[in-house]
Structure formats: structure tokens, C-alpha cells
Amino acid sequence: PLVIRYCVKIAFFYEFQLKHEKSLRYLAEAYRHVCRYYLYLRSNPKSIEQTDATNLTDIATPPTSVSNVTHDGVEVELDMINNPKKSIVWGNAVPPPPADMIHQCKAVAEWLNLKLLSAGFSSKTESGFIAATTQWREHQKAFCGPESGLSIPEWLAWSFVSRQRLVLCQLVERHPPSSCFDLDAENDELLALCSPWRTSLSAAESLLRLAREIDRTRDSLGDELETPPESDSDKLRDPFIGTLDSGGLTTILREECRTSHRQKALELVLKATSLFEGELRKEKRGFYAEDSFRESSSSRSGARMYYLAGGILLGMNRHEEAVPHLQKASKYAKGWRDLELSIRKMLIGCYEKHVPTHSDPMANESSQALASMILDSYFNAEMTSDDLRKALGQFSKISGGGALKWYRESFNDEDPDLPFTFEVTFPENIFATIGDTVKATISVKSNLDYAVHINSVVLLSLAGELPITSSDLMRAANVSEGSDGGIIIQRKFEITITTKLVLPKDLKFIASDDSGNGGEQQGVAGKGSFSKSARPRSAGLTSAGGARLLSADQLPKENKVTQGWSLRFLGGKPLKCDGIRLSFYPVQVGASGGGEQVPVIELTIDKKKPRTAANIKRTPFEEENYIASAWSRPLRLPLSCGPRSLRVLGPQPQMVITNITEPLTDGKSLEGTVNRVLLKLQSGPGEHCTNISYNVSCFSVFITPDGTTKRLVPEQELSSEAETSVHMKNPKYRTPVLVSENPTSDTEEPIDYGYTLPAGWKLSGDEGRGLNGKLRVLKGGDASYIQLDLFRPSATMQAGAEAEEINASMCKTDFYVTVSYRQERPSVRTRPSRGGRGRGADRGGAGKGRGRGRGRGRSFVSTSEEFSAASEDQSDETSGVPDDVTLEYSGTVVWSRPMEASFIPGLGANQPCGIIHPSTKIDHSGDESDIEFIAVDGGKVAAKCTLHTQNASEELCTEIVGIDFEPTEEACDLKVELSESSRNDGKCELYKSSIEDRCSVLSVGSKLSVAYTVDVNLSNDETMARANLGALKVNWMPFPLKLPDDVTSHSIKRFNGHGPLRLLKPSTVRFLGPSCEVQRAPFKADVSVHPTSPRVATPFEVHYEIENLTNFHQTLELAMTDPSGCNDSGLLFSGLINGKLVLGPNEKQILAYSVVAVRAGKAVLPPLSASSNRYRTWVVHDTGDKHSPLYIFP
């Protein structure tokens, strides 16, 4: 004690000098010795001596050693204290302590601890805060632990502990550590330890424990606590800190009894709750739903605080004030079963004394929440049957009698704290049409500890209330039959109810889900969940593709037109059951003793979505469009149960439109004839189609070889700036048109498009761009046909770059078919209207169900069966209000020529005769001579034309009726006409088919070739000219495709087919002949054989007659291939082989050689060439591919 006193005095000495650092050293040294002396008092001296150097030094080690030094001129002698080699043996150093020395020691330690904590917290530094928290931990360890080995009463120990915690609470409140400095993450535990609301809560708990121990002591002592007279010995004793008077601990106990510890604890708890809520608001956790607190680390502390506040108020009989605290505690205590059960029982005790009422009698929502909280407490407090009966009866009387309303919100489908968990799925449908009857499966699991009797079940959906019939309840699985059409569910059992629901007859009776991806309504939480520019998204089940779009009635009036499709509902509306209403009462209560009637409880469970976190972007979307949401389910339910969300579509056409022609023709049509596209319209199996009308429109485009697209549009749609549009009536483009039959005409009819229509046909509709018509009534599964007749003339024989580009371009015609009809679905039944919650849906009587469904050549056939009535009073008559529906279909045809023609030079062509042309040059390689036609004036040109088809489809076959030669218009410089050898009876007819001629059919891979010879003659003044060798006119007929067997229309059957149709007259296509260059030659060369029909072993001669047509002397070089190389042909030669030939002006000479054939058959003469030295060109140039073969007779 003497060393402690010296250290304290030295600390005061330095504190007076404002040398706080040195003062704190000696205060810490004094506290260290107090701790050691306190341990000495709690144990015997021998154990203190043995543990002095180890255990006691760990309790409070001074920051620096204090040795024999002089501080500011004052010499301090403390060698005995700081010499590590010397240890204090308290039994020899001090006399025996008085009886109250341990109380004095704790009082001094309390005072020193206050000084050290104040210095640390008030420093507002990180090091000071860490030193203060370390000091507090050591103080708790040394003086606030269990008082083992001492006869100190519990109330006195808790009195000391409560004072220490109150001191810490006041210091932390005065100097909050979190606002003084920034600590790193390693010191988060220290900050949590010194949190203001935690210290207040700790002090309140110690005060409550002190009050409890004082009550126990006071009850055991009774009258002994009366105030005794003051003793004279108390006045003579020196007033040391912590000393006891003559009354001992009784005096302290009397003072503690006069203090209201519970009131102080209540004040501290209320202050702690206020600080706790403020801290949560600062962290923005109060913005989210209540259930987010259950996952936080502070939720149980919050539950503990509200539990203490409610318990204190309940102990003071302040039931009204205790209820709100206990209600908050029950929310925070989710998952903490023991604490939650205790809170529930305390709430029931409050409700027995006081049932809170809302100040505003019109505030139904608050009253409903209050009633739900009371019922929640009753059913979760593990009450006995009798207690539950009394509690429900009393609450029913207070609330005015009738059914007890119980409302619960669910953020988790598997929350075990709910009285029931449920899930509604649609096992046989993922979508349905309005008015349909669909099958639904309802899974209800009881989480109650009581068996209950279910009187009724009502589903709450976006379409309003959907009641479940008593017959469906009785057929549920895992239930027992109850009374009055009800069922009994045992505790912790799960039942399955199968029912049939009738959908509304109009989409307007299904409300839109106004919640976004975070459950917020429009305009809530600062950021609205509606986007100003919503866009459809993909990854959904419908064309809405996941977008959360608005219905027409939600659009601003001034914006309904401008916003257009982007803010409309697409693909119907989702229908889900996100709520349930159960009417029940506990069976155990009904079976218990007493004749008191059990009130019926009406439980409503509503599924909610948790709010979106502030740092998550609120993108509006229709959540039920995503498979992950529409098919989400508890793990106990298999996928076979179906989705939990049903897509309800407007009236959808079940009719299917099929293009019968396209698969056979590969989408191609032939130019020059009428092409029929046959469309099959087949009604769905569950609909009757009446008032069927259709409208067809077509548009054509040109795609040039370089990929440019040009639209063929009317004149009013042309724009001077738009280069991609051309006039559709320009004859060069041969615009395709829609045509129809004209039985009254048998002549070709000219039209404004620059060409004539075939005989018996006329333009249809809007200048050949559209047509419309009506069809007969179709019952379920019946079919009818629509024919679209398209015509485009064959290409003309125009020359020039523009004409060649147009003929090389691809023409494509797109046609659009819109079918409208009145749909009657016999499976749709009417159902009497029932009142419902509606969820924002339009209320009122059911009106006419009108809607428009759209499809792209697809049918939307309901997969639902014809269910039996979903309610007992359901009508058996079919609905008398049909729906008007529209179906759209589009198709494309690509126009192609019926055939293509290629020309090559024929055999037996004239000799070059020395004309000047690249192909007749001596040094020419011969690459161009194979494809270019060259002729001499007055000579003959042989040509070969090959016809073939480029269509890939084997169904597009053509029959060649005839091929005629047509001379082109005679030019002044050249005349081209068919040679007499190629004429047929004087006519320019090259080919004419017959019935037996099978070679006239052109199909995939087949070809038809025709050879002919033309005469070319220049005018007198021209030396050279270029022109086409006439033209070939090909008359052809297509082969129509076979009609389906079920076609009954007379107009379709008259042509006995579809695709390219056979017209009254053969179609015609013209091909311009090859281009030929004609020159006046300087020579004339003819080849002849004498005799013309050589025989075996009879010599014959071959003559080459060459004439010089110029006025110059000409020298020719002659060369013949070695005849020895031709022995394989069976010919023997004699005569000229090589040499020169000189010709004078206009001179003619004949070159001859003899040949003897040794065998009959085809033979080839040896090639002979004669070239002009003047022109360096060939005069005679026989090659193997151009030389006519020679036939040897026997």
C-alpha cells in the first residue's frame, strides 16, 4: 500500500505541473501494484511469492521502467520497486491488512482505472484509444471476474461491475471513438467493443442483474435492513477510500436498495436502441425490407435490446409501452428459437392485459398488421390447447367478434416461420388463351404445431380471386375429411390440391404487375421502376422477350401515339398466383374441453419481392418472361409440376398457313409464264372459323450483280435523292404483277408496265399489286386453299451495258397475306363472375372479349384439354361471343429464266483467207478463236446453240416445242440470213418437237443442242462490219406441279396443277445470236474432194483453190503435217508437202495431192496451212478441231 501511495502522489505532483505523460506513467505503475496487491489479498502470501515474477507481471506492465532519477530537481527513491532482481514478499513487507482492505483496494483500482480510461479516450488518438481499450480489458480481467475464494456477496460484486460499465458507457458517449480517428480493419473489434450502444446495453444488463441480486438478498434478510443508529466508532476512524463503517456491508446494501436500478437500466436500454437504430440508418440498412436484418451480424443484438426493454416495462406493469418493443424484438429474433419463444410468451402476457388499438379507426392496414402480430404470437408461443382457446376467444371479443384477420407477407417461399407455405403451378400449360380452362396444382404445407380444419381456399392472382371448390378440396391428397365440405390438415403435413381454373374472357381483367425487378412501385425510393425508353429484350418466352412494358391505359394521353410499340404489352400477360387466403380453425382447440365456440381465422399470405439494393441498377423488365423466374420452385416440387407463371395470350389464331408450292420449286418462279403459289389454310383443331377474308399484297426488288438493291415502287413513292428506288412501270425492269383469269379474252392484253399479259389473263386488284377474297366456313381441322398467280415476261433482246446489267440482276417478289376471321372455340366455357381482389384489375361485369393475335405463318394451338366445369354452377353452353383474330404470312419467290443458251462456232467454217484479225495472226496462241466468231464477206458461218436449265429443282422442267431462227433488223452494211441448207421446207425452223420426242424435255442436267449455218454479206462500200448472227426464238411449255388430293376449288383444278402453269399458247423466250465480225478478205480459199464420195483402194484428190483478190503480188508459205503421222487413219498420200506459192494480182491457183484409202470409215485429212508473207496472217489453216472429217465408203 505504501508503494501504491507514493506512486499516486508522484502522479499528482506531475499532474499539477501539467506533465501528463509522466503522471500517467506513475498512475499505471500504481494500478499495476494495486492489481498485485489485490491478488495477494485474494490468496495466501506463499502463492503470491511464487507467481510474482510470472503471472502478476502480465496483469499490468508499466510502459517504461521508473528508476532512481531526478525529475525536474526532485529526486525520487524507488529502487525497491523497480529492481527486477528484488521481489516483494507481501507477507514480510506489510502488516496484516484490515478486514475491509480488499474493498479499499477495489475502490482505488476503480479510481485509477477511471483516470487511465479518461486519459486514453480524451486523447483522440489511435494510440490513446488502443491503450484505453487494453486498460479496460485488463481491469475486467482483474476486478470484474468471478470472486472465487472470497466471501463477497453477489449483489456487491454486481454493484462494482455495474459501476465500471456505467463509467465506460459515459466515457464512450462523451468521447465516441469512431468520430475521433480512423482505424484500420485490424482494430474493428476494438471499435465494436467500445460502440456506444454496446456499452449502454452491457451496463443495463449488469444493472438488471444487480437489481435481481438485491431483491434476493432483501427477501432473505427481511427486517434486518432497517436503518441502525450511527456508531461512535465510525467518527473516530480515518475516512479511507472504500472503508466500511461499523454497519459493514449492510449500509451499502441499504443505499443500493434505495436506488431504482431497473429504471436506470430502462433508460440505458432505450438509449442503446436509439443509438442502434441511428447506426443502422447511417449504414442505410433501414431502407431495405425487415428480413434483411436477420442476415446481419447485429440482428441478435437488436433483438436482445428490444427484449430487455420490453421485459423491463413488462416487469413494471407498463404493458402498453412494452408491446412495441417486444414486437420489434420478435422480428429481429427470427431463427433464434429460444429467444423468440420467450418474446412470444411475453407478448401474450401483454395482450392479456392490454390489446393495443390504432389511433385512427380508418387505418385498416395498421389494424390488420396489429391483429396479424397478435395471432403470430399466439400460434408461435407453444401454447397448450386450453391457453390457445382462451387467448383466441378473448382476442375475438376485444376485436368485435367474427373471423380473425391474419395477414402475412412472404419474401421466401420456404420460410418456416410462415403458418403455411404454398406454391401454385400449371402442370399442363405454359401459355393459354383468354377464356380457356387450365389445370392448376396447389401445394400447401402446414408449419403449425396444431392440426387445423380448412373451411375454404381462395387463390389471389393478377386476375382477381380464384376460389377453390369444395369438391376439389375433398379430392386433395394427404387430407382428412372435415365438416361442412372442409378438410383437416395435420401438423407439419403437406397437401396437394388439383383444380381447374377458367381464365378471364378479356386481357383487361388481368392486372399488370407494376413491380420492377426490386419490388418497387412507380416513383418509389427516388428511382422509379419504369424506364422512359423501354426496349424489348430477348431470352424470354414471348415476343416481349423479358421487357417490362406498359399497357395502353398506363400511357400518358399526350404520348400514346408517339411512344408506339416500345411501350405496349407484347405477347399477352403473365398470370401467377402470388397470394392465398385460407379460412381455418385449430382442430385441437375445437376438441378441447369447454363449450366456447372457436373463432375462425382468415389467413392471407401475400408473396412479396425484397427491395433492390441502392447500388443495383433498376432496369424495368417483365420478370415472369424469364425461364429462371417462371419455373422457379421449392426443391421438393419436381419440374413435372409445370411453371408457376402462365402466359395468357389474347385471342390467338390457331389457323396454319402452309406454302404448298415452295418446297417443290425451292422458292423459284419461271419468267414468261404464269406461276401459281398455292397456300393451304387449315383451321386449328379447337376452333371454328367464320367470316374468313384474306388480303394479298406484293412488292418486288432488284438485286444487281454488285449487291445493290433497288425497289420497284409507284411514281408517287419515287424520290430524287433515293437511288435505291426505280419506277415500277419502267419497261426495262419487267415488274412482276399479280394476275387473275379472264375467260372472256383469248388475246394478249397490253398493260401499263410495258409488256403484254398472256391470253386469258388480266391484272388483279390494285394494278397487279394486291388482291382480296373470302373463303368458306372452316370447322376444326378443315382446310381451304388460296392461289396467288404471278407473272413476269421473259427478257428482251436489248443490247447495251444497262440492258445486260438488268438481265444479269436477280428479281425477287415478296408477298404478304393477311387472313382475318371470326374464331369460335367450343372448349371455352363461361363462368359466373365472382368478386375478387383484382390487384388493380378493372372491375365490373364481363364484356365482350375482343382481341387481335398475330403470328408469322405459325399457329398457336392451346394444349389444354376440354376440362370439366371448374365450379359447380358452371354453364355447359359454349360462349356466344366469338373473337376476331388476324394471321399474317409472308413468302418470297425468286424469278429465273426457264432456260439458258450458249453459242459456239460449228464445224466446216470458212478458211481465214488472210483477213486481219488477232485470231488469224500467225503468232496467235488460239485462245480467243474458240469463242469468237469470224467470217468473210459472202461466206457461211456455222454455229451451235446449246439450251440448258439452271434451276436446281427437279420439278421445274420445261418442254421445248420449237426453235426458230429470226434474222435481226438488216443494217445498211451487213446482211445476215439463214442458209438454205439449214432451212426446213423453206422456213426458218430449226427444230420442232413431236409427241414421240423425249429429248425435248429440259430438266436438271439435260441439254438440247441445235446447229445451223447463216450467210453473211457486206454492202458494196464496207470492208468490215460487226453484228449478231440473228436470234433464236424458243417456244416452250412448263410442266405444272401435281395438286393435293383435297383441292376442291374449280378455279384451281382447271389448270390441274400449281407452280408454272401451261397457258393457251406456248411461251416464248428469245436469245440473241453470237456477235460476229465480217471482213472483205485479200484471198479466197476453198477446199474440195474429187470425187466427193471416195472409196477404198480408189485414188481421190484433195484440191485447195486459192485466189488472190488484191492488185498485189502475194507469196504464200505452204506447210503440211507429215503424212506418216496419219497412218492410223488408213490414208496414203502423194503430192505437195512443203513449199512456196506465188500469186499475181487476181490470180487463182489450185493445189492438189492424191490420197488412197486402205479401209472404210471416218478419216481425217492431214492439216494444211498457207500463210501470207505480206499480212502475216493465215490463208488456209486446217486444225484437228475445225477440219471436217472425211468418210470412206467400201
Side-chain angles (χ1 to χ4, degrees):
L2 184 61
V3 176
I4 298 171
R5 181 174 297 179
Y6 282 155
C7 289
V8 171
K9 287 184 177 182
I10 296 172
F12 280 163
F13 173 75
Y14 282 121
E15 187 176 359
F16 292 154
Q17 294 182 349
L18 301 180
K19 298 178 180 180
H20 300 289
E21 184 178 355
K22 295 180 180 180
S23 175
L24 287 175
R25 290 180 183 177
Y26 286 96
L27 286 177
E29 183 72 11
Y31 185 81
R32 185 173 71 90
H33 289 297
V34 169
C35 292
R36 297 176 66 185
Y37 187 53
Y38 179 70
L39 289 178
Y40 164 75
L41 295 176
R42 293 180 57 181
S43 58
N44 54 67
K46 182 176 181 181
S47 62
I48 292 294
E49 182 179 0
Q50 293 174 349
T51 59
D52 179 73
T54 56
N55 298 336
L56 298 182
T57 56
D58 295 335
I59 298 176
T61 303
T64 58
S65 63
V66 183
S67 58
N68 269 352
V69 293
T70 301
H71 298 289
D72 298 332
V74 180
E75 184 176 353
V76 182
E77 178 67 29
L78 292 176
D79 181 68
M80 178 186 66
I81 301 174
N82 296 284
N83 190 350
K85 296 183 179 180
K86 297 181 180 181
S87 60
I88 300 176
V89 182
W90 295 99
N92 300 329
V94 297
D100 59 352
M101 180 55 71
I102 193 168
H103 301 288
Q104 297 182 38
C105 187
K106 294 179 67 174
V108 173
E110 180 180 359
W111 182 84
L112 292 174
N113 178 64
L114 172 62
K115 295 288 289 182
L116 293 173
L117 291 180
S118 299
F121 286 123
S122 61
S123 66
K124 297 184 179 181
T125 61
E126 182 178 351
S127 60
F129 172 73
I130 294 176
T133 54
T134 304
Q135 169 62 32
W136 171 247
R137 287 182 172 181
E138 295 297 337
H139 186 68
Q140 280 189 309
K141 180 179 179 181
F143 296 98
C144 297
E147 302 288 350
S148 59
L150 300 176
S151 58
I152 297 178
E154 288 290 330
W155 65 266
L156 184 59
W158 281 106
S159 176
F160 179 82
V161 172
S162 62
R163 285 199 307 273
Q164 310 312 301
R165 294 183 180 179
L166 280 172
V167 167
L168 179 65
C169 173
Q170 293 170 1
L171 288 175
V172 169
E173 184 179 0
R174 185 177 301 175
H175 308 287
S178 59
S179 61
C180 299
F181 45 82
D182 295 330
L183 293 175
D184 52 16
E186 298 179 356
N187 297 310
D188 287 345
E189 184 181 356
L190 301 180
L191 282 174
L193 176 66
C194 298
S195 174
W197 66 267
R198 291 182 186 274
T199 56
S200 299
L201 179 61
S202 177
E205 289 178 344
S206 61
L207 285 173
L208 290 176
R209 183 64 183 272
L210 172 60
R212 177 185 174 186
E213 296 299 334
I214 289 176
D215 290 342
R216 287 181 178 179
T217 305
R218 183 167 47 194
D219 294 341
S220 61
L221 294 178
D223 298 336
E224 297 181 8
L225 289 179
E226 296 180 1
T227 305
E230 185 177 359
S231 175
D232 294 337
S233 61
D234 297 338
K235 299 179 181 179
L236 300 176
R237 187 176 182 183
D238 294 333
F240 292 106
I241 295 177
T243 56
L244 301 177
D245 57 13
S246 59
L249 298 179
T250 306
T251 304
I252 302 176
L253 179 59
R254 290 194 187 99
E255 294 177 359
E256 295 290 349
C257 290
R258 288 193 290 267
T259 304
S260 179
H261 298 290
R262 288 187 174 85
Q263 183 62 35
K264 287 184 179 180
L266 178 62
E267 295 174 0
L268 288 173
V269 170
L270 295 179
K271 181 170 65 175
T273 55
S274 176
L275 294 173
F276 174 73
E277 292 175 351
E279 183 176 316
L280 293 183
R281 284 194 299 270
K282 187 180 297 184
E283 295 177 359
K284 295 183 179 180
R285 281 188 282 181
F287 176 79
Y288 309 121
E290 293 279 352
D291 61 332
S292 62
F293 294 126
R294 304 172 191 171
E295 302 175 0
S296 64
S297 59
S298 57
S299 61
R300 292 196 172 185
S301 299
R304 179 66 175 170
M305 280 187 294
Y306 288 112
Y307 169 70
L308 290 178
I312 295 172
L313 291 171
L314 186 61
M316 296 178 179
N317 294 324
R318 297 160 63 176
H319 301 84
E320 183 177 358
E321 299 177 40
V323 168
H325 295 283
L326 293 175
Q327 289 175 350
K328 290 182 179 180
S330 65
K331 292 182 180 179
Y332 288 122
K334 297 296 184 183
W336 199 353
R337 182 61 183 171
D338 294 338
L339 179 60
E340 184 179 5
L341 182 60
S342 178
I343 294 172
R344 297 286 185 187
K345 292 181 177 180
M346 293 170 65
L347 272 173
I348 292 175
C350 292
Y351 296 150
E352 291 177 352
K353 301 294 183 180
H354 171 78
V355 176
T357 57
H358 199 268
S359 58
D360 186 4
M362 300 301 294
N364 295 328
E365 184 176 353
S366 299
S367 301
Q368 186 183 47
L370 180 61
S372 300
M373 175 62 70
I374 295 174
L375 291 172
D376 235 13
S377 301
Y378 287 161
F379 279 91
N380 288 278
E382 297 184 359
M383 303 173 63
T384 63
S385 177
D386 291 338
D387 293 339
L388 182 59
R389 174 178 56 82
K390 294 177 182 178
L392 292 177
Q394 181 181 2
F395 180 58
S396 178
K397 291 179 181 178
I398 296 176
S399 59
L404 300 178
K405 305 292 184 180
W406 189 2
Y407 179 79
R408 287 294 303 269
E409 291 183 351
S410 170
F411 293 92
N412 179 12
D413 294 340
E414 290 296 292
D415 188 359
D417 296 328
L418 292 173
F420 298 90
T421 56
F422 75 97
E423 197 67 44
V424 180
T425 58
F426 302 92
E428 297 182 359
N429 300 77
I430 60 174
F431 63 89
T433 308
I434 56 173
D436 286 351
T437 303
V438 296
K439 184 178 181 180
T441 301
I442 309 163
S443 174
V444 181
K445 182 180 179 182
S446 172
N447 297 322
L448 299 175
D449 293 327
Y450 309 95
V452 295
H453 184 280
I454 302 293
N455 297 333
S456 64
V457 177
V458 178
L459 300 179
L460 307 179
S461 69
L462 295 176
E465 295 185 357
L466 304 175
I468 307 302
T469 62
S470 58
S471 59
D472 290 337
L473 287 179
M474 298 296 291
R475 289 194 298 266
N478 295 334
V479 299
S480 303
E481 184 177 353
S483 59
D484 299 330
I487 57 175
I488 297 176
I489 305 179
Q490 300 299 326
R491 59 184 300 272
K492 307 298 183 181
F493 261 49
E494 180 179 1
I495 68 171
T496 302
I497 305 172
T498 302
T499 186
K500 294 161 187 176
L501 306 177
V502 177
L503 302 180
K505 198 64 177 66
D506 201 323
L507 280 178
K508 69 180 181 180
F509 295 114
I510 301 179
S512 58
D513 187 2
D514 288 337
S515 61
N517 61 340
E520 299 90 348
Q521 303 293 322
Q522 185 175 9
V524 176
K527 298 180 181 179
S529 60
F530 290 86
S531 174
K532 295 181 180 179
S533 58
R535 291 292 183 269
R537 292 168 172 81
S538 58
L541 294 176
T542 69
S543 57
R548 234 284 286 122
L549 305 177
L550 305 181
S551 57
D553 56 349
Q554 291 177 301
L555 294 177
K557 293 183 179 179
E558 64 276 5
N559 253 351
K560 284 189 176 181
V561 178
T562 58
Q563 289 176 335
W565 66 269
S566 64
L567 290 179
R568 292 201 303 265
F569 272 104
L570 302 177
K573 293 183 180 180
L575 176 64
K576 59 178 181 178
C577 298
D578 51 5
I580 193 171
R581 181 177 299 149
L582 302 171
S583 177
F584 71 96
Y585 59 87
V587 174
Q588 288 183 344
V589 175
S592 61
E596 189 173 350
Q597 186 177 3
V598 180
V600 176
I601 301 171
E602 188 176 284
L603 170 64
T604 301
I605 301 177
D606 197 1
K607 293 184 179 181
K608 298 289 185 180
K609 300 176 184 176
R611 291 185 181 272
T612 308
N615 59 347
I616 297 179
K617 182 180 179 181
R618 292 177 176 86
T619 302
F621 65 93
E622 196 174 82
E623 182 180 352
E624 300 308 317
N625 268 2
Y626 289 94
I627 295 177
S629 175
W631 287 79
S632 64
R633 67 197 55 251
L635 295 178
R636 68 178 189 274
L637 296 180
L639 286 176
S640 59
C641 294
R644 67 179 182 87
S645 177
L646 184 70
R647 174 66 52 176
V648 181
L649 307 174
Q652 297 297 307
Q654 300 180 21
M655 180 181 293
V656 178
I657 300 179
T658 306
N659 191 333
I660 304 297
T661 308
E662 182 180 13
L664 303 176
T665 63
D666 198 21
K668 292 187 176 182
S669 295
L670 299 183
E671 297 176 353
T673 187
V674 176
N675 292 265
R676 172 162 294 176
V677 178
L678 191 62
L679 300 180
K680 180 179 180 181
L681 280 64
Q682 185 171 11
S683 63
E687 66 174 356
H688 289 176
C689 307
T690 59
N691 296 343
I692 305 174
S693 61
Y694 63 89
N695 181 67
V696 182
S697 59
C698 65
F699 307 91
S700 299
V701 296
F702 256 83
I703 302 176
T704 60
D706 59 355
T708 304
T709 301
K710 296 182 179 181
R711 297 184 301 115
L712 301 174
V713 297
E715 184 178 3
Q716 59 270 21
E717 297 182 15
L718 288 175
S719 175
S720 58
E721 300 178 356
E723 299 180 356
T724 59
S725 300
V726 294
H727 195 352
M728 62 186 301
K729 292 187 178 181
N730 189 336
K732 295 185 297 185
Y733 295 101
R734 301 176 286 122
T735 304
V737 293
L738 278 169
V739 296
S740 58
E741 296 181 56
N742 185 13
T744 61
S745 174
D746 57 354
T747 60
E748 295 183 352
E749 178 183 353
I751 58 176
D752 295 339
Y753 289 88
Y755 56 84
T756 60
L757 294 180
W761 296 89
K762 63 179 180 179
L763 286 178
S764 65
D766 182 17
E767 295 183 344
R769 301 178 60 192
L771 61 91
N772 51 65
K774 294 183 178 295
L775 297 177
R776 61 182 178 85
V777 176
L778 297 179
K779 296 183 179 180
D782 290 352
S784 183
Y785 291 87
I786 299 176
Q787 71 270 18
L788 310 181
D789 297 327
L790 299 167
F791 176 76
R792 187 185 188 219
S794 300
T796 59
M797 297 189 301
Q798 297 178 356
E802 183 180 5
E804 291 180 359
E805 181 182 3
I806 293 176
N807 291 334
S809 301
M810 181 182 72
C811 182
K812 182 180 68 172
T813 300
D814 298 328
F815 60 88
Y816 300 89
V817 181
T818 302
V819 180
S820 302
Y821 63 95
R822 179 156 293 183
Q823 182 188 69
E824 298 179 1
R825 300 191 304 277
S827 60
V828 176
R829 307 284 182 174
T830 59
R831 183 176 187 174
S833 59
R834 298 176 181 266
R837 180 175 57 164
R839 294 285 187 94
D842 297 337
R843 299 180 182 272
K848 292 185 178 181
R850 299 286 185 182
R852 293 177 62 84
R854 292 191 176 272
R856 295 285 293 173
R858 301 187 302 268
S859 62
F860 298 87
V861 181
S862 174
T863 58
S864 60
E865 303 173 359
E866 293 191 6
F867 296 124
S868 59
S871 61
E872 295 176 354
D873 55 349
Q874 190 169 352
S875 173
D876 291 333
E877 298 181 359
T878 60
S879 174
V881 184
D883 299 310
D884 292 334
V885 295
T886 301
L887 178 63
E888 292 183 352
Y889 181 86
S890 63
T892 301
V893 295
V894 178
W895 293 95
S896 62
R897 292 186 177 186
M899 63 196 73
E900 298 290 340
S902 60
F903 294 87
I904 60 173
L907 299 178
N910 292 337
Q911 297 294 339
C913 300
I915 60 177
I916 302 174
H917 188 268
S919 62
T920 61
K921 293 290 185 180
I922 296 176
D923 54 356
H924 180 60
S925 61
D927 295 338
E928 298 181 5
S929 62
D930 296 335
I931 59 175
E932 189 169 3
F933 285 77
I934 308 297
V936 297
D937 178 31
K940 298 180 183 294
V941 180
K944 179 182 178 181
C945 175
T946 302
L947 300 178
H948 59 91
T949 179
Q950 292 184 344
N951 297 317
S953 174
E954 296 182 357
E955 303 292 338
L956 293 179
C957 301
T958 57
E959 179 186 0
I960 307 299
V961 178
I963 303 175
D964 297 332
F965 177 84
E966 291 183 344
T968 56
E969 295 182 1
E970 294 185 3
C972 59
D973 53 356
L974 181 63
K975 181 180 180 182
V976 179
E977 59 182 4
L978 188 65
S979 301
E980 287 295 333
S981 60
S982 299
R983 294 176 180 267
N984 185 11
D985 296 334
K987 300 179 181 179
C988 296
E989 187 178 66
L990 301 180
Y991 173 77
K992 184 178 182 181
S993 65
S994 60
I995 299 176
E996 297 82 7
D997 190 0
R998 298 184 179 180
C999 299
S1000 61
V1001 178
L1002 280 182
S1003 60
V1004 177
S1006 63
K1007 295 180 180 180
L1008 178 64
S1009 299
V1010 59
Y1012 61 97
T1013 305
V1014 295
D1015 298 333
V1016 291
N1017 295 283
L1018 289 172
S1019 62
N1020 296 330
D1021 299 331
E1022 296 295 331
T1023 60
M1024 186 190 71
R1026 179 181 292 274
N1028 292 96
L1029 298 179
L1032 296 185
K1033 184 181 75 170
V1034 181
N1035 299 321
W1036 61 280
M1037 297 284 282
F1039 286 94
L1041 306 177
K1042 183 180 179 181
L1043 288 174
D1045 297 334
D1046 56 347
V1047 173
T1048 58
S1049 173
H1050 175 70
S1051 60
I1052 298 177
K1053 296 183 67 175
R1054 180 164 53 189
F1055 285 91
N1056 194 26
H1058 59 106
L1061 302 180
R1062 281 181 176 263
L1063 306 180
L1064 299 177
K1065 298 179 180 179
S1067 301
T1068 300
V1069 59
R1070 287 177 171 82
F1071 298 101
L1072 197 61
S1075 177
C1076 180
E1077 182 177 327
V1078 182
Q1079 296 184 12
R1080 292 190 184 274
F1083 300 93
K1084 181 179 180 182
D1086 290 327
V1087 182
S1088 60
V1089 179
H1090 301 277
T1092 57
S1093 300
R1095 296 181 179 276
V1096 176
T1098 302
F1100 63 92
E1101 292 184 351
V1102 179
H1103 293 180
Y1104 285 87
E1105 182 178 337
I1106 301 175
E1107 180 181 0
N1108 182 10
L1109 301 178
T1110 66
N1111 296 325
F1112 306 103
H1113 289 276
Q1114 303 282 357
T1115 302
L1116 304 180
E1117 295 286 343
L1118 303 177
M1120 178 183 288
T1121 304
D1122 186 4
S1124 61
C1126 300
N1127 290 334
D1128 293 341
S1129 62
L1131 299 177
L1132 301 177
F1133 302 91
S1134 70
L1136 178 65
I1137 296 180
N1138 295 306
K1140 291 185 178 181
L1141 177 64
V1142 179
L1143 296 175
N1146 299 315
E1147 181 183 0
K1148 179 191 299 186
Q1149 289 192 17
I1150 296 176
L1151 302 177
Y1153 62 89
S1154 299
V1155 183
V1156 177
V1158 297
R1159 65 171 178 263
K1162 181 179 178 182
V1164 179
L1165 294 175
L1168 174 69
S1169 60
S1171 60
S1172 171
N1173 290 339
R1174 178 184 294 274
Y1175 303 111
R1176 304 298 300 169
T1177 59
W1178 298 108
V1179 178
V1180 177
H1181 188 57
D1182 290 337
T1183 59
D1185 56 345
K1186 290 187 177 180
H1187 203 292
S1188 298
L1190 183 67
Y1191 293 91
I1192 308 298
F1193 292 89

